[in-house]
Amino acid sequence: MMSYNGFDLSGRVAVVVGGTSGIGRTIARGLAEAGADVIPTGRRTELVDEAAKEVEAIGRRSLRMSCDVRDRGSLQALLDAAVAEFGKVDILVNAAGQIKRTPFLEVEESEWNEILETNLTGAYRVSQVFGRHMVERKYGRIINIASLSSYVGLFEVAAYGASKSGLASLTRTLAIEWARYGVCVNGIMPGVFRTALNEKLLDGTPRGQEFLMRTPMRRFGRVEELVGSAIFLASEAASFVTGTILQVDGGFLASGVNQ
């Protein structure tokens, strides 16, 4: 039987793709505070540097290397650099995401393809590159960032919803394929969290008010409220948890009539 603290990530190495802003950056800090060495990465080198400095300020090691989920070569180079520096990657967080609100009949194929390329095909590439390393080592924790739109329809974000529904399915499929290799694949489904990605859709809008009405806690989530879920799924405390998408939504999906 494990000795607690089962949530201690000391000695673990985490890569957070999309870890330079919003939810990903907050999770990267949280994993570092739980003891892991963390490599937050994204496309913009200046943001990679800022996020890595935050990890180091906590007293953990990091690595400054940008990547693009649309470029398999950059992902492989990131894995190779992480293994050269730390010897392994134990934890992978897929947090890269893109959203745009457009009525479906006006969605151009280029917009559709760009969103799916980032949110779903990007996760396929990241999971394949890092998952191979984890399967070979017979240990790993993969955490995908899902969405309310993985489960319910959201108005005028069809491409985003399709990509996040696909990501939820990919999470379950990889979980059953890789369970025998000691690789746990799970997701976190945030409810409505105000970030730079969605603030224009929420602030002072009827859409934002509807989200608040349908959330029993009557507020948007704070990104820090996702950290505990990420630490749990990355830890030995979750060693028998795989194929699960953990809802952190203030009761949104449980909601029927709220008044």
Side-chain angles (χ1 to χ4, degrees), residues 92 126-136 142 178 183:
L92 169 69
V126 175
S127 298
Q128 202 168 63
V129 169
F130 285 86
R132 187 181 305 279
H133 169 75
M134 292 176 174
V135 166
E136 289 172 352
I142 297 177
W178 293 346
V183 179

Side-chain angles (χ1 to χ4, degrees), residues 87-162:
K88 59 178 181 172
V89 172
D90 301 295
I91 301 159
L92 169 69
V93 180
N94 275 318
Q98 183 176 343
I99 188 171
K100 184 177 180 184
R101 180 177 177 178
T102 309
F104 181 70
L105 293 179
E106 298 173 16
V107 176
E108 301 284 348
E109 280 196 32
S110 58
E111 178 182 319
W112 177 274
N113 290 337
E114 183 178 1
I115 290 173
L116 264 73
E117 178 73 11
T118 298
N119 297 0
L120 182 56
T121 309
Y124 144 75
R125 290 190 192 95
V126 175
S127 298
Q128 202 168 63
V129 169
F130 285 86
R132 187 181 305 279
H133 169 75
M134 292 176 174
V135 166
E136 289 172 352
R137 290 187 61 237
K138 293 187 166 49
Y139 183 89
R141 299 285 187 268
I142 297 177
I143 303 169
N144 294 321
I145 304 301
S147 163
L148 284 172
S149 64
S150 300
Y151 294 96
V152 298
L154 301 181
F155 192 66
E156 292 184 344
V157 287
Y160 180 78

Side-chain angles (χ1 to χ4, degrees), residues 32-69:
E33 288 167 351
D37 294 321
V38 182
I39 304 167
T41 184
R43 288 185 292 174
R44 294 172 55 184
T45 54
E46 68 274 16
L47 293 182
V48 170
D49 184 57
E50 290 175 12
K53 285 179 180 176
E54 289 184 355
V55 170
E56 291 165 347
I58 294 167
R60 313 298 175 212
R61 295 182 297 162
S62 191
L63 189 65
R64 288 159 173 76
M65 195 161 181
S66 60
C67 77
D68 187 339
V69 298

Side-chain angles (χ1 to χ4, degrees), residues 18-29 95 194-197 223 226:
T20 59
S21 63
I23 288 170
R25 189 162 177 170
T26 301
I27 288 176
R29 285 197 303 268
R194 185 184 176 279
T195 69
L197 189 67
V223 288
L226 296 167

Side-chain angles (χ1 to χ4, degrees), residues 166-186:
L167 183 61
S169 180
L170 180 65
T171 300
R172 291 186 285 266
T173 302
L174 296 184
I176 63 168
E177 282 197 30
W178 293 346
R180 72 193 71 178
Y181 302 110
V183 179
C184 298
V185 186
N186 294 290

Side-chain angles (χ1 to χ4, degrees), residues 235-246:
S235 75
E236 287 307 292
S239 57
F240 201 58
V241 178
T242 197
T244 292
I245 299 179
L246 182 56

